Amino acid sequence: MSFKNVVLCVLGVLVSASAAAQINILNAKTPDEIGVKTEEQIAYDNDNPLPYGYVDERDVLWSKTTWEIIDLDERVNFPLYYPIDTNNIGAERRSLYDVLVRGVKDGTIDHVYADSYFTEKRTLKDLEASLVYSDTTDIGIEQYNAEGKVDPEYIRKFTLDAGDVEEYRIRGVWYLDKRQGELRYRLLGICPVANEARSKAFPDDGVDAKVELFWVWFPDARPVLHKAKAFNRKNTAQPISFDHLLNARRFNAVIYKEDNVYGDRGVADYISDNALMQLLESDRIKEQIRNIEIDLWNY
């Protein structure tokens, strides 16, 4: 086979893969049917997240809880960030932030909390204060002083969207399973982090006020994240679910805190004003966790 034929074959495979990237695109009779599964497809797929196996406390020889930062500026983490502009793509492709917020709004994600210890539950009304900022214009203020009311056109609303999210913070547990004889990881919570919505109203202030918007109990969100698909750059015909992507740890993260005797103090609390040493400390904690499994099989 000549080089020209090889190139044509490769291009044909790539084109066919991209054509099958969207659900039902090859069988759709109208554009409205693109991305919508038929009843036969739904019944055939029987698509549910893979359930976690039961772990008996007596089988856990060792465990450590870690908190990590997923920086969305890193290329390997782009599937969690994009797409941020959804005007020209199908409804089946959404950013992880959009999937989480939509799940909270429609009630499919119920366990939402204010912190990573999941002690204070948050409602949709509570979240609106963090996600939306309302500001009255000068004309609106004059109208309120004169008439005691403000027309809606004089109220500006600024809403956080997927493009405003700078990082995710996750909490999980590394544990040594005696029955399986291996080191495993269980993700417990995930939290989008962004500047406050107020910063969009006053961008000239240049204030860096990153806040944890909300913490989601990950096991509760798995069905929603399983249905939502992230972009697979290696094969667009086989998109990967956010549930699989996160459980398989197909991202890069930096540990910023671990459970310890000092009340779970963070790395920045005992290594301050030195980003390089903080990164090295994070790597030291990772290496310590990896060595647990290696030492298990050394005699």
Side-chain angles (χ1 to χ4, degrees):
M1 183 180 290
S2 65
F3 178 76
K4 180 179 180 181
N5 292 334
V6 172
V7 173
L8 291 177
C9 290
V10 172
L11 290 176
V13 171
L14 293 177
V15 170
S16 61
S18 62
Q22 293 176 302
I23 299 173
N24 204 39
I25 192 170
L26 298 179
N27 300 315
K29 297 179 180 178
T30 62
D32 296 336
E33 296 180 1
I34 297 176
V36 180
K37 288 186 177 182
T38 63
E39 295 181 1
E40 292 78 8
Q41 288 174 321
I42 296 174
Y44 178 77
D45 289 344
N46 192 21
D47 202 11
N48 294 308
L50 186 66
Y52 290 141
Y54 176 74
V55 180
D56 196 298
E57 295 294 334
R58 294 171 294 184
D59 294 333
V60 179
L61 292 179
W62 171 91
S63 68
K64 177 178 285 292
T65 302
T66 59
W67 287 259
E68 299 172 87
I69 293 176
I70 302 175
D71 189 353
L72 297 181
D73 280 338
E74 298 186 35
R75 185 177 297 274
V76 69
N77 298 329
F78 281 177
L80 298 173
Y81 180 67
Y82 291 101
I84 57 176
D85 184 4
T86 58
N87 293 326
N88 299 320
I89 62 173
E92 72 280 357
R93 286 192 58 191
R94 287 295 181 268
S95 168
L96 175 59
Y97 175 78
D98 289 333
V99 173
L100 292 175
V101 172
R102 183 178 58 189
V104 173
K105 289 182 177 180
D106 61 22
T108 52
I109 297 178
D110 181 57
H111 292 275
V112 181
Y113 298 85
D115 56 59
S116 61
Y117 293 96
F118 312 108
T119 56
E120 182 183 348
K121 199 168 184 180
R122 304 288 296 273
T123 63
L124 180 59
K125 186 176 181 181
D126 297 331
L127 297 180
E128 289 179 352
S130 302
L131 305 181
V132 181
Y133 176 77
S134 298
D135 182 38
T136 304
T137 62
D138 294 338
I139 298 178
I141 295 175
E142 294 177 359
Q143 183 187 23
Y144 181 80
N145 292 332
E147 305 176 9
K149 65 176 183 178
V150 180
D151 293 334
E153 60 265 27
Y154 300 134
I155 299 178
R156 301 184 303 166
K157 285 191 176 183
F158 300 88
T159 305
L160 291 179
D161 52 37
D164 299 316
V165 179
E166 299 184 11
E167 64 188 39
Y168 284 96
R169 296 180 184 176
I170 58 175
R171 178 191 175 189
V173 176
W174 292 93
Y175 65 96
L176 200 59
D177 192 329
K178 178 177 66 175
R179 187 176 298 274
Q180 301 292 333
E182 62 182 359
L183 184 68
R184 289 176 171 267
Y185 179 77
R186 180 69 59 85
L187 183 59
L188 299 180
I190 184 168
C191 167
V193 177
N195 284 327
E196 295 178 340
R198 184 180 181 278
S199 63
K200 300 186 71 173
F202 305 100
D204 296 335
D205 292 350
V207 178
D208 185 11
K210 289 191 294 187
V211 295
E212 297 179 348
L213 300 179
F214 54 87
W215 278 88
V216 173
W217 176 250
F218 185 77
D220 173 62
R222 288 193 67 204
V224 175
L225 297 178
H226 181 74
K227 294 179 181 178
K229 306 300 180 181
F231 184 78
N232 185 354
R233 70 186 70 186
K234 294 184 178 180
N235 185 0
T236 56
Q238 297 293 331
I240 181 174
S241 69
F242 284 113
D243 175 63
H244 185 188
L245 188 149
L246 292 169
N247 274 309
R249 291 187 62 87
R250 295 177 61 169
F251 55 80
N252 184 55
V254 176
I255 296 176
Y256 71 93
K257 187 167 69 169
E258 63 172 334
D259 54 350
N260 50 56
V261 69
Y262 304 103
D264 298 348
R265 69 177 182 178
V267 173
D269 294 332
Y270 59 92
I271 302 179
S272 59
D273 300 329
N274 194 326
L276 176 60
M277 295 305 298
Q278 291 174 3
L279 185 60
L280 293 176
E281 175 67 7
S282 173
D283 290 339
R284 184 194 67 82
I285 298 173
K286 286 183 180 179
E287 190 67 21
Q288 184 183 44
I289 294 173
R290 283 194 293 263
N291 288 340
I292 291 295
E293 184 178 30
I294 296 174
D295 295 341
L296 177 67
W297 300 106
N298 288 339
Y299 299 95

